[in-house]
């Protein structure tokens, strides 16, 4: 899982999206990617590029959240939680309307800074919201579609003068 932070050139600052696959290279300005885990090669197959031996490669994973940062956040709340809780807290916070408004000037020109909320229950609320939102963003293709009925009959025959307003979700 990776939190992708993209700067929008239209003046709206940044947006964050969680993905579980390699994304396109973003030729219009690029992205910054913050993974949940980092993967390291322990031993390599020395048979060369066209070697058929794939058993010689070993991969290990580790958290991408530094021990110092995790320790400092745990000291702030004086309680235990996992790296995943912190990862999803960050994702939930990046989608908070209050956070985006408060830091909107900074978000147009630099990477997001992650403040600590005052109470641990709020930290966990952001973490749980980030977990649900991340699941929705990563697994959106597996969700059952919302049933839609059109009052006007078949949409293929409809005359839509303003498609943006017609398809706007309210």
């Amino acid at each position: 899982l990776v939190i992708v932070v993209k700067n929008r050139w239209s003046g709206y600052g940044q947006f964050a999206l969680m993905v579980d696959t390699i994304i396109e290279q973003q030729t219009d300005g690029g992205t910054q990617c913050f993974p949940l885990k980092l993967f390291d090669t322990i031993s390599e197959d020395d048979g060369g590029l066209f070697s058929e031996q794939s058993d010689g490669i070993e991969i290990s994973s580790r958290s991408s959240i530094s021990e110092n940062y995790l320790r400092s956040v745990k000291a702030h709340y004086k309680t235990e939680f996992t790296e995943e809780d912190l990862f999803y807290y960050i994702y939930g916070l990046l989608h908070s309307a209050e956070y985006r408004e408060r830091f909107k000037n900074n978000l147009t020109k630099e990477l997001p800074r992650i403040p600590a909320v005052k109470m641990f229950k709020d930290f966990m609320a952001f973490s749980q919201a980030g977990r649900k939102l991340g699941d929705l963003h990563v697994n959106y293709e597996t969700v059952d579609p919302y049933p839609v009925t059109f009052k006007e009959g078949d949409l293929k025959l409809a005359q839509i003068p303003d498609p943006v307003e017609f398809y706007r979700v309210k």
Side-chain angles (χ1 to χ4, degrees), residues 86-156:
L86 183 54
F87 182 76
Y88 287 113
Y89 162 78
I90 292 168
Y91 195 61
L93 189 70
L94 290 174
H95 286 86
S96 163
E98 183 180 344
Y99 169 84
R100 295 182 66 73
E101 179 60 29
R102 183 174 177 192
F103 295 103
K104 69 180 178 183
N105 290 334
N106 290 43
L107 292 174
T108 60
K109 52 190 167 234
E110 64 186 19
L111 284 174
R113 296 175 186 248
I114 307 300
V117 293
K118 291 182 182 176
M119 300 178 65
F120 184 68
K121 69 176 184 146
D122 296 331
F123 171 88
M124 287 309 294
F126 273 112
S127 181
Q128 290 167 358
R131 190 177 296 269
K132 289 178 184 176
L133 188 60
D135 182 59
L136 180 65
H137 287 169
V138 169
N139 299 311
Y140 71 95
E141 291 179 327
T142 63
V143 176
D144 291 331
Y146 188 79
V148 175
T149 56
F150 296 101
K151 296 178 184 177
E152 305 295 322
D154 188 3
L155 188 60
K156 294 176 192 166

Side-chain angles (χ1 to χ4, degrees), residues 4-15:
V4 178
V5 177
K6 171 97 176 102
N7 192 27
R8 293 189 282 185
W9 296 104
S10 58
Y12 295 108
Q14 299 171 344
F15 73 91

Side-chain angles (χ1 to χ4, degrees), residues 155-168:
L155 188 60
K156 294 176 192 166
L157 303 175
Q159 298 295 322
I160 303 170
D162 185 6
V164 172
E165 187 58 35
F166 182 80
Y167 289 108
R168 183 175 308 279

Side-chain angles (χ1 to χ4, degrees), residues 43-108:
S43 64
E44 293 185 23
D45 180 7
D46 59 358
L49 178 63
F50 299 106
S51 172
E52 294 181 22
Q53 299 176 353
S54 61
D55 296 342
I57 299 174
E58 293 182 45
I59 306 288
S60 70
S61 68
R62 58 186 165 95
S63 174
S64 68
I65 298 171
S66 74
E67 286 295 322
N68 288 339
Y69 181 61
L70 183 63
R71 199 173 318 124
S72 70
V73 176
K74 284 182 177 181
H76 175 76
Y77 294 116
K78 298 179 177 74
T79 189
E80 289 294 316
F81 52 86
T82 67
E83 289 102 350
E84 278 192 11
D85 291 333
L86 183 54
F87 182 76
Y88 287 113
Y89 162 78
I90 292 168
Y91 195 61
L93 189 70
L94 290 174
H95 286 86
S96 163
E98 183 180 344
Y99 169 84
R100 295 182 66 73
E101 179 60 29
R102 183 174 177 192
F103 295 103
K104 69 180 178 183
N105 290 334
N106 290 43
L107 292 174
T108 60

